[in-house]
Amino acid sequence: MTFKEFPIYRSHLDLARAYWEKFLSKGSKVIDATCGNGKDSLYLAGLTLSEDSGHLFCIDIQKQAIENSKKLLKDNLLKSQFERVSFHHHSFEIFPSESFECDLIVYNLGYLPGGDKSIVTNRTTSLKSLELSLKWVKDGGMISLSCYTGHEEGLIETNFILKYLESLEPSNYTVCSYNFINRNKAPLLILIQKAFPKTALST
Ligand code: SAM
């Protein structure tokens, strides 16, 4: 399908980026839990990294993905910004300890575009990682998830994740799912916000 241009967003990724822009600023600490070819990471780096503040943690289970992301970021960031990015070649069920209390955690699920389609995120490890994210993100922080329903495991994974997220206590988290309801098997964007704790004044 070819799309014409639209005024604000055309895809779930445009929508995700619009929210990241609204939420992040220079100095933010962000995890890209599935860095793939590094396109999302590069965008996040532009929003968060200054010469002396911010940190971006790029995780991927595939060596090829880590290499692709590293190259893209190295070629497009200032040296001082690139020094504020770390690369982690392992599954997203573990986060680097320095990334605790981060502002935003991003997942773009599925398989590496142009890579091995048999290496794909799955319901069990994605759910484990999501549980970790809910703890790891700071109070007032966000999690952004792009989910793909166009392949078999993606559909199962998405439904599994949605079921789990529906059970979260609404006073602690808001969970919003954006679906393109007039497109066939379109990817969806899920945004989770973690509440700030009650302040002494608001009790
Ligand atoms: N954000 C990427 C970009 O901008 O190019 C695209 C990500 S791609 C849709 C999904 C990625 O998830 C793949 O690179 C794949 O290797 C990775 N992945 C699959 N299972 C994973 C796991 N358990 N932990 C971390 N990454 C995983």
Side-chain angles (χ1 to χ4, degrees), residues 88-184:
H88 306 268
H89 175 208
H90 53 69
S91 177
F92 54 25
E93 292 146 273
I94 305 166
F95 291 156
S97 57
E98 321 85 89
S99 66
F100 188 57
E101 299 239 298
C102 55
D103 296 276
L104 171 72
I105 302 175
V106 172
Y107 293 86
N108 192 340
L109 299 174
Y111 49 80
L112 181 67
D116 182 348
K117 290 192 180 172
S118 69
I119 306 173
V120 63
T121 56
N122 70 73
R123 72 199 98 154
T124 313
T125 53
S126 295
L127 197 61
K128 272 195 193 159
S129 182
L130 193 50
E131 284 172 338
L132 179 66
S133 282
L134 293 169
K135 291 196 202 108
W136 216 250
V137 75
K138 74 177 191 187
D139 293 336
M142 284 189 64
I143 301 164
S144 164
L145 278 152
S146 295
C147 300
Y148 297 85
T149 56
H151 63 103
E152 199 184 340
E153 177 51 38
L155 180 60
I156 297 170
E157 181 184 41
T158 303
N159 289 332
F160 208 69
I161 287 172
L162 285 171
K163 187 98 197 124
Y164 169 72
L165 292 176
E166 278 168 20
S167 71
L168 293 183
E169 169 55 47
S171 59
N172 294 334
Y173 300 98
T174 68
V175 185
C176 209
S177 163
Y178 295 83
N179 304 345
F180 288 80
I181 58 174
N182 64 341
R183 289 185 192 162
N184 186 24

Side-chain angles (χ1 to χ4, degrees), residues 34-37 39-40 60-62 91-92 108-109 111 121:
T34 53
C35 66
N37 290 323
K39 286 189 184 167
D40 293 329
D60 204 287
I61 200 164
Q62 287 192 71
S91 177
F92 54 25
N108 192 340
L109 299 174
Y111 49 80
T121 56

Side-chain angles (χ1 to χ4, degrees), residues 23-42:
F23 183 66
L24 295 171
S25 55
K26 299 286 180 194
S28 297
K29 190 157 79 164
V30 176
I31 301 175
D32 184 348
T34 53
C35 66
N37 290 323
K39 286 189 184 167
D40 293 329
S41 298
L42 183 60

Side-chain angles (χ1 to χ4, degrees), residues 11-77:
S11 72
H12 64 297
L13 294 175
D14 297 334
L15 201 50
R17 287 178 174 195
Y19 278 98
W20 302 345
E21 267 174 42
K22 193 174 164 60
F23 183 66
L24 295 171
S25 55
K26 299 286 180 194
S28 297
K29 190 157 79 164
V30 176
I31 301 175
D32 184 348
T34 53
C35 66
N37 290 323
K39 286 189 184 167
D40 293 329
S41 298
L42 183 60
Y43 200 80
L44 293 163
L47 298 175
T48 56
L49 305 179
S50 71
E51 297 214 355
D52 57 2
S53 71
H55 199 105
L56 175 63
F57 301 86
C58 300
I59 302 173
D60 204 287
I61 200 164
Q62 287 192 71
K63 192 160 180 280
Q64 188 59 54
I66 293 289
E67 280 170 9
N68 293 353
S69 296
K70 211 178 255 184
K71 179 165 180 1
L72 187 73
L73 271 66
K74 192 163 190 210
D75 289 349
N76 287 283
L77 295 178

